[in-house]
Amino acid sequence: MKEINLTELEAAFQSKLDREIRIEPNDWMPADYRKTLIRQISQHAHSEIVGMLPEGNWITRAPNLRRKAVLLAKVQDEAGHGLYLYSAVETLGADREETIDDLHSGKAKYSSIFNYPTVSWADMGAIGWLVDGAAIMNQVPLCRCSYGPYARAMVRVCKEESFHQRQGFEIISKLALGTPEQKEMAQDALNRWWWPALMMFGPNDADSPHTQQSMNWKIKRSTNDELRQLFIDVTVPQAELIGLTIPDPDLKWNQETGHYEIGTINWDEFWAVVSGNGPCNRERVAARKKAKEDGMWVREAALAHAEKRKARQAS
Ligand code: 3HC
């Protein structure tokens, strides 16, 4: 049997990357490439699933039937994104149940943004506008990720994210351009969600242990800071358009660079939330654990049914 030559395999892998040929599940890939994809895609899936909780809190409190139907559709989309991404992570040989258990045990992360409370209807607008807006910035480049199943999953996810962002911006615009009380609600929501939305893009590039390698492997096509800047440059004019003020006294336009400059992000807050000490971390993980426990009877019934059917077919 031909001796497996690692150098040849690595060279073939790199040549595929260089020629922009997608890496597929059955292709040889470096163990660390597989490991970082399992890490990122599983945590992306967890983010989608946990992300349903803050918005789910307002489905029964939506101000009218149309808003309720739109929010319901959005939350259902997020569930689909999560299941899509769990399927993508399984193509790398990860076990779905173990992955979800890692979320429940606190071993795996999910996006920091979902650890903040949703205290008013305006938060539904701020989440769609800012959180899904940031997610789009981060997920569009992932449509060109070198790993095939992840890139293809992102194409459909991004189409749905655009609807999510539009419905959010419609909610926040209606409030911002409404009565003084409604405008105050919208501004309060922007004040609470602006900085956590900037944190969604991850630590500064200089403090990111994964970005350089992920760029080399073409998992990431832009760095954390590049995407954050893109989001800021697009979102600040949107806030101005509806008469809201970005809660950053240091925000200023730099004519030379053609970008906005912002104040300092509170990285202590970011790392506190990422390490489980945000306002809602415990509540979010407890809700996911309870969902699994409450749904065990469905799994057991489905497994029993499948066993019985298998036994009938075998007899
Ligand atoms: N929340 C929680 N953890 C974060 C984080 C955040 N906002 N940003 C970074 N981290 C973690 C990373 O996971 C990593 O920890 P780990 O080694 O234990 O996994 C550590 O902080 C260092 O960060 P890096 O920037 O070096 O890590 P990455 O290269 O993985 O970059 C990322 C972080 C930009 C979030 C990247 O993982 C990514 O692009 N993930 C895919 C997109 C995603 O997960 N988006 C989250 C939101 S999904 C969403 O918003 C749903 C929408 O429908 C609302």
Side-chain angles (χ1 to χ4, degrees):
M1 190 165 127
K2 187 171 174 297
E3 169 92 340
I4 294 182
N5 180 324
L6 199 54
T7 325
E8 274 172 22
L9 287 169
E10 282 168 345
F13 171 78
Q14 188 57 50
S15 147
K16 277 189 173 173
L17 291 185
D18 297 344
R19 288 177 292 145
E20 296 291 342
I21 295 172
R22 287 264 162 81
I23 306 299
E24 297 298 338
N26 294 331
D27 291 347
W28 184 89
M29 60 185 86
D32 284 347
Y33 176 83
R34 181 188 303 275
K35 194 167 154 230
T36 209
L37 280 168
I38 289 175
R39 173 187 64 81
Q40 176 164 329
I41 300 172
S42 61
Q43 292 181 157
H44 194 164
H46 298 333
S47 302
E48 301 281 3
I49 297 297
V50 175
M52 291 193 284
L53 295 167
E55 291 174 308
N57 181 30
W58 280 88
I59 290 174
T60 56
R61 303 183 172 105
N64 59 49
L65 183 59
R66 176 175 176 274
R67 291 287 180 213
K68 184 188 189 116
V70 169
L71 184 59
L72 202 52
K74 177 187 190 296
V75 171
Q76 283 171 328
D77 282 350
E78 309 297 11
H81 297 173
L83 298 182
Y84 231 46
L85 289 164
Y86 283 130
S87 300
V89 86
E90 284 179 310
T91 66
L92 289 155
D95 175 87
R96 183 186 291 233
E97 279 314 301
E98 281 171 26
T99 301
I100 293 168
D101 288 344
D102 288 348
L103 168 68
H104 295 168
S105 68
K107 191 170 156 225
K109 294 182 170 69
Y110 57 90
S111 189
S112 49
I113 191 73
F114 298 121
N115 289 306
Y116 291 84
T118 47
V119 297
S120 86
W121 174 253
D123 288 12
M124 293 306 103
I127 288 179
W129 173 37
L130 300 175
V131 176
D132 290 77
I136 290 171
M137 291 298 172
N138 164 282
Q139 291 172 162
V140 165
L142 287 172
C143 295
R144 293 188 299 117
C145 167
S146 57
Y147 185 59
Y150 194 24
R152 290 187 290 271
M154 282 297 107
V155 172
R156 172 171 155 192
V157 166
C158 286
K159 286 192 174 85
E160 292 173 345
E161 292 298 359
S162 305
F163 146 65
H164 299 171
Q165 195 272 354
R166 293 290 300 273
Q167 63 86 39
F169 192 62
E170 187 194 40
I171 292 173
I172 205 88
S173 306
K174 278 255 189 305
L175 293 170
L177 303 170
T179 65
E181 294 78 12
Q182 287 176 326
K183 178 167 179 150
E184 201 185 316
M185 267 175 77
Q187 184 62 58
D188 167 59
L190 177 55
N191 294 346
R192 285 182 288 105
W193 289 95
W194 172 252
W195 291 102
L198 298 190
M199 295 175 197
M200 276 177 74
F201 292 94
N204 287 131
D205 295 347
D207 303 320
S208 160
H210 299 300
T211 290
Q212 193 46 61
Q213 182 58 65
S214 289
M215 292 288 284
N216 296 345
W217 278 328
K218 297 186 181 177
I219 294 170
K220 282 187 173 179
R221 294 296 190 155
S222 304
T223 70
N224 297 359
D225 289 334
E226 286 167 350
L227 293 177
R228 194 180 351 259
Q229 185 64 61
L230 204 57
F231 172 73
I232 292 164
D233 291 346
V234 162
T235 311
V236 170
Q238 291 171 349
E240 288 168 353
L241 182 72
I242 55 176
L244 294 183
T245 307
I246 298 287
D248 176 3
D250 298 320
L251 180 76
K252 61 176 177 298
W253 175 253
N254 182 322
Q255 194 54 39
E256 260 176 56
T257 62
H259 293 297
Y260 284 96
E261 291 174 1
I262 61 167
T264 311
I265 293 175
N266 182 342
W267 293 115
D268 290 343
E269 176 185 331
F270 170 74
W271 290 115
V273 175
V274 167
S275 51
N277 301 310
C280 299
N281 293 59
R282 285 169 192 76
E283 177 190 330
R284 300 288 187 242
V285 174
R288 289 312 312 154
K289 280 181 181 168
K290 185 174 183 312
K292 179 171 180 178
E293 285 149 20
D294 291 355
M296 277 320 277
W297 69 274
V298 176
R299 294 161 181 247
E300 284 153 11
L303 282 172
H305 175 71
E307 285 303 314
K308 242 169 116 183
R309 212 169 68 181
K310 211 161 77 183
R312 237 194 344 264
Q313 281 162 350
S315 61

